[in-house]
Amino acid sequence: MKNFISLLLTFALSSYSATAQKNTTLNLAESWKFIAADKNEFSKIDYNYMGWGEIRIDRNWENQGHENYDGYAWYRIRVLIPSSLKRDAILKDSLKIFLGKIDDYDQSFINGKIFGINGRNVEEGSPIDDSFMKEQPIPWNKNRNYTLSCGDPRIYWDKENEIAVRVYDQGGAGGMFSGGAFIKMIELGDYLKHDFGRVQFELKKGKLSKSISLKNVSSLYPIEGKFIIRAEEKIDGKVFYEKKYTLNLRPETSQNFSYSFANRNRPTVVKYLFEYTKGGTESVFTDEAPYVLTPPESSLPKINGAKVYGQRPKMPFLYTIAATGIRPMTFEASNLPPGLELDKKTGIITGSVSETGIYKVKLSARNKIGSAEGEIKIIIGDKIALTPPMGWNSWNVWGLAIDQNKVIASAKVYKEKGLMNHGWTYINIDDGWEIPGNSSDRKRDANGDIICNSKFPDMKALGDSIHSLGLKFGIYSSPGPLTCGGYTGSYQYEINDARAYASWGIDYLKYDWCSYDEIAENHSLTELKKPYYIMRDALNNVNRDIVFSLCQYGMGNVWEWGGSVGGELWRTTGDITDTWQSMSEIGFGQIENAKYARPG
């Protein structure tokens, strides 16, 4: 996260900045007024902001000339809200103001009066202070969907309205970034909640199936009509499955549905259509069914994974031969360096090597129907991570709800599903294992050693469990006093923490910038590098190889200097989400940085 600057997002809805859609929607312009500063008067209705610069709300401000900018700022726009919105609407009680996603925090104002904070409606007169940017978890990927009663005096019907949004960004990408902002009246569909995206498809006996739930969260309005589930080919739109249901949801009631169709292993879109009896409006939600084009694994043994592996002399060694094929399987390894030993049943190589050198090791894997051979180069020298570390991180699944049992269960599934047989190695805990910074509990003992929270009663035992599976163990911290989630960071205790990590059997450290903005004087290269030098020195002085992952979102073109501060890998962008769009945009956008990647 990054340092404090004020971003005032003020968008006023006006005739030139919004267009009517079906007489019940005002689509807001993508271009707004913007200032990278913070003053209380920026929210006032009579403040003259015409001298501010222009900015779009469909991309972060880093992509619009505000690189490495963090903290506070404001956006602003003007809009005429016509009373015809109420006249033409089916439901006439509430107005929705949709701002899209905001990275990280927001306070939103209309005509000088606050109406929303971090996606929650608030009453007029709510505190306008800095507490809004301390909310956890960070709401950076949450749609800001606000509603106001049509009788709310903060709305000026048939007049121009000034809407302002104050934004705070802790670090990485910042600002309004998803676009598509609008103002409209609440519709029946807004009261219909579903779990389509959260429920996974099940594949059994050649069929894809799903069980879903619909809920009417309104306390006043029934939702009646037709609910249609339709599956179609994504490429040509051909419908191959359709089922219709009668929808009859009284206020605050739920209804469950299930469906199933033959798995076609082709791109498939599932559409959920609602045709409401009252008003005749229709809404559509879409889902994508999973499909697999990868050929099934052969039952014969096949040795996979990287062909080179690096370790420093005298450090604990752990390498698992990655091999697919039916189990049980036995393994052989010839020409192992002195000090290493192979478990022939598991394929796990352990021990410690004293002498530097390059050792070419022949590997073999055998099961009841065949065998396979391969070779790996074990390089004992001054570099680790000779190939990109491959693994799993807990954040997108568990967030701050991670605990020791979930980590162990995830590691076991990781093995049972065969991921490690393709070379996936690391099981990494992200934020949430430490004591919260706002807790009255001790964060460190008398020696300054960090204390884990109650969700992690025995970190050493957890590391041993992961290693026994042939996997490696990763952890998370911040160079600042607090982590991104508000837990205890490593600031001024780097040596203590490095020693603790080594004693627990840690193999990988993700080191997230976050609250170090409170420590850094500025974003000069000297300041950007400093905390990573300190932790690297601490890691170098423990009896364990720990891969060092720099997490600071690409500030200062980290790809140009990350290796010089001892990083084995470094993050080059803002946050990723578990969607194809996010992954592909970030992944395919890194081609210019390829020249900075090399072994180690």
Side-chain angles (χ1 to χ4, degrees):
M1 306 298 179
K2 305 181 181 175
N3 61 3
F4 303 146
I5 299 169
S6 292
L7 177 114
L8 174 59
L9 256 165
T10 327
F11 57 100
L13 314 178
S14 69
S15 56
Y16 66 82
S17 65
T19 57
Q21 181 184 22
K22 296 183 180 179
N23 298 321
T24 58
T25 301
L26 293 171
N27 290 323
L28 304 182
E30 298 289 3
S31 181
W32 301 45
K33 290 290 187 177
F34 173 86
I35 189 170
D38 186 39
K39 293 182 180 180
N40 290 337
E41 55 261 37
F42 289 168
S43 67
K44 294 181 178 178
I45 188 172
D46 57 355
Y47 181 80
N48 182 3
Y49 59 91
M50 288 300 120
W52 292 5
E54 298 283 334
I55 199 166
R56 294 183 63 85
I57 62 166
D58 59 352
R59 63 201 67 168
N60 298 106
W61 67 59
E62 276 84 355
N63 296 323
Q64 302 181 74
H66 300 276
E67 295 84 0
N68 302 325
Y69 185 78
D70 311 300
Y72 294 100
W74 293 78
Y75 291 65
R76 189 156 177 160
I77 198 172
R78 182 175 298 145
V79 65
L80 174 70
I81 305 180
S83 57
S84 60
L85 287 180
K86 290 185 290 183
R87 182 192 67 212
D88 298 333
I90 302 300
L91 306 182
K92 304 179 184 296
D93 53 358
S94 298
L95 186 73
K96 176 193 288 190
I97 300 177
F98 178 80
L99 305 183
K101 295 178 179 179
I102 299 176
D103 192 345
D104 292 305
Y105 303 91
D106 79 286
Q107 290 176 320
S108 297
F109 303 79
I110 184 167
N111 300 318
K113 308 292 186 181
I114 193 167
F115 69 88
I117 297 176
N118 297 334
R120 303 188 311 277
N121 302 327
V122 297
E123 297 296 323
E124 181 181 348
S126 295
I128 304 173
D129 55 26
D130 290 341
S131 61
F132 80 110
M133 54 78 148
K134 298 177 182 178
E135 182 175 316
Q136 298 297 331
I138 301 168
W140 73 273
N141 200 34
K142 176 182 178 182
N143 276 320
R144 274 30 176 212
N145 219 344
Y146 298 113
T147 57
L148 293 170
S149 166
C150 286
D152 195 306
R154 288 174 286 186
I155 305 171
Y156 294 171
W157 292 100
D158 294 319
K159 296 180 181 178
E160 287 192 329
N161 291 252
E162 297 284 349
I163 298 179
V165 185
R166 182 191 188 201
V167 172
Y168 177 78
D169 175 43
Q170 290 194 68
M176 300 176 78
F177 68 93
S178 64
F182 61 80
I183 292 179
K184 73 169 189 175
M185 296 294 293
I186 286 287
E187 298 173 345
L188 275 175
D190 294 309
Y191 293 112
L192 188 64
K193 302 303 177 184
H194 62 81
D195 58 2
F196 305 150
R198 296 190 299 276
V199 177
Q200 300 299 313
F201 281 91
E202 291 188 3
L203 176 59
K204 291 182 179 179
K205 297 181 179 180
K207 287 194 171 185
L208 282 169
S209 61
K210 202 171 196 182
S211 297
I212 55 179
S213 177
L214 302 176
K215 183 176 183 179
N216 179 3
V217 298
S218 169
S219 60
L220 296 175
Y221 304 111
I223 299 178
E224 300 170 334
K226 292 180 181 179
F227 174 41
I228 304 166
I229 300 174
R230 180 181 297 158
E232 59 186 49
E233 300 277 3
K234 186 174 182 180
I235 295 173
D236 59 16
K238 182 179 179 181
V239 176
F240 63 86
Y241 173 89
E242 183 171 288
K243 194 167 184 178
K244 296 183 179 180
Y245 301 89
T246 298
L247 194 63
N248 186 10
L249 285 169
R250 313 316 299 168
E252 299 180 333
T253 63
S254 299
Q255 198 169 347
N256 297 321
F257 303 87
S258 296
Y259 65 92
S260 179
F261 53 79
N263 177 35
R264 303 161 73 86
N265 265 344
R266 292 200 293 271
T268 299
V269 174
V270 180
K271 293 182 177 179
Y272 305 98
L273 298 91
F274 301 91
E275 297 176 354
Y276 305 110
T277 301
K278 291 186 177 180
T281 56
E282 179 183 285
S283 57
V284 181
F285 301 89
T286 60
D287 219 346
E288 285 210 32
Y291 65 99
V292 179
L293 296 181
T294 307
E297 290 177 5
S298 170
S299 297
L300 288 165
K302 180 176 183 289
I303 294 177
N304 308 296
K307 305 296 189 240
V308 61
Y309 179 77
Q311 195 88 48
R312 291 189 298 163
K314 300 181 181 179
M315 296 296 169
F317 189 102
L318 174 64
Y319 178 86
T320 302
I321 300 172
T324 49
I326 61 171
R327 262 53 176 182
M329 186 177 291
T330 57
F331 299 88
E332 297 287 344
S334 59
N335 197 33
L336 279 174
L340 298 187
E341 183 177 354
L342 168 70
D343 184 323
K344 294 184 178 183
K345 291 183 178 180
T346 63
I348 300 173
I349 302 173
T350 55
S352 178
V353 183
S354 298
E355 299 297 325
T356 61
I358 299 175
Y359 302 86
K360 292 183 179 180
V361 179
K362 288 187 177 181
L363 307 174
S364 68
R366 180 180 298 276
N367 63 18
K368 65 182 181 180
I369 61 173
S371 63
E373 294 185 348
E375 185 179 86
I376 184 171
K377 233 190 298 188
I378 295 176
I379 302 178
I380 305 299
D382 60 354
K383 284 188 175 68
I384 58 175
L386 299 184
T387 58
M390 292 168 58
W392 173 88
N393 177 289
S394 65
W395 182 256
N396 272 350
V397 180
W398 299 114
L400 296 174
I402 190 65
D403 62 42
Q404 186 158 323
N405 290 334
K406 289 173 182 173
V407 175
I408 293 173
S410 298
K412 289 180 178 178
V413 169
Y414 204 76
K415 180 175 181 178
E416 291 165 3
K417 296 295 185 183
L419 288 168
M420 62 187 296
N421 299 335
H422 294 272
W424 300 85
T425 305
Y426 291 89
I427 296 289
N428 292 355
I429 304 172
D430 207 275
D431 205 354
W433 60 269
E434 317 90 329
I435 303 292
N438 60 5
S439 170
S440 59
D441 295 340
R442 284 195 310 158
K443 282 75 174 177
R444 297 181 178 274
D445 64 18
N447 297 319
D449 293 335
I450 194 163
I451 300 171
C452 301
N453 62 44
S454 59
K455 297 185 297 178
F456 290 87
D458 193 334
M459 199 69 86
K460 173 66 165 60
L462 176 58
D464 290 344
S465 296
I466 291 172
H467 291 148
S468 70
L469 296 172
L471 296 167
K472 294 196 173 183
F473 183 26
I475 207 163
Y476 168 100
S477 189
S478 170
L482 296 175
T483 65
C484 295
Y487 287 69
T488 304
S490 294
Y491 181 60
Q492 294 186 328
Y493 292 93
E494 293 85 358
I495 294 174
N496 298 69
D497 288 355
R499 289 173 179 167
Y501 302 154
S503 70
W504 298 338
I506 296 298
D507 303 293
Y508 182 112
L509 170 64
K510 173 184 172 184
Y511 210 44
D512 202 345
W513 179 268
C514 281
S515 63
Y516 195 77
D517 257 330
E518 301 173 15
I519 308 301
E521 295 181 5
N522 50 48
H523 276 187
S524 66
L525 278 181
T526 299
E527 290 294 292
L528 291 174
K529 292 178 179 181
K530 182 178 178 180
Y532 296 103
Y533 273 126
I534 293 172
M535 181 53 86
R536 179 74 266 180
D537 286 345
L539 296 176
N540 284 342
N541 285 289
V542 298
N543 187 33
R544 189 167 193 87
D545 282 339
I546 299 178
V547 171
F548 192 29
S549 174
L550 316 186
C551 181
Q552 48 81 288
Y553 336 113
M555 294 186 293
N557 295 343
V558 64
W559 47 89
E560 296 177 358
W561 53 266
S564 70
V565 299
E568 272 84 41
L569 63 158
W570 39 84
R571 185 169 158 180
T572 58
T573 72
D575 284 346
I576 193 170
T577 58
D578 49 351
T579 66
W580 170 251
Q581 180 181 1
S582 174
M583 186 182 74
S584 59
E585 286 179 355
I586 288 177
F588 296 135
Q590 301 309 299
I591 188 148
E592 297 302 323
N593 294 330
K595 61 187 176 184
Y596 298 102
R598 58 181 60 89

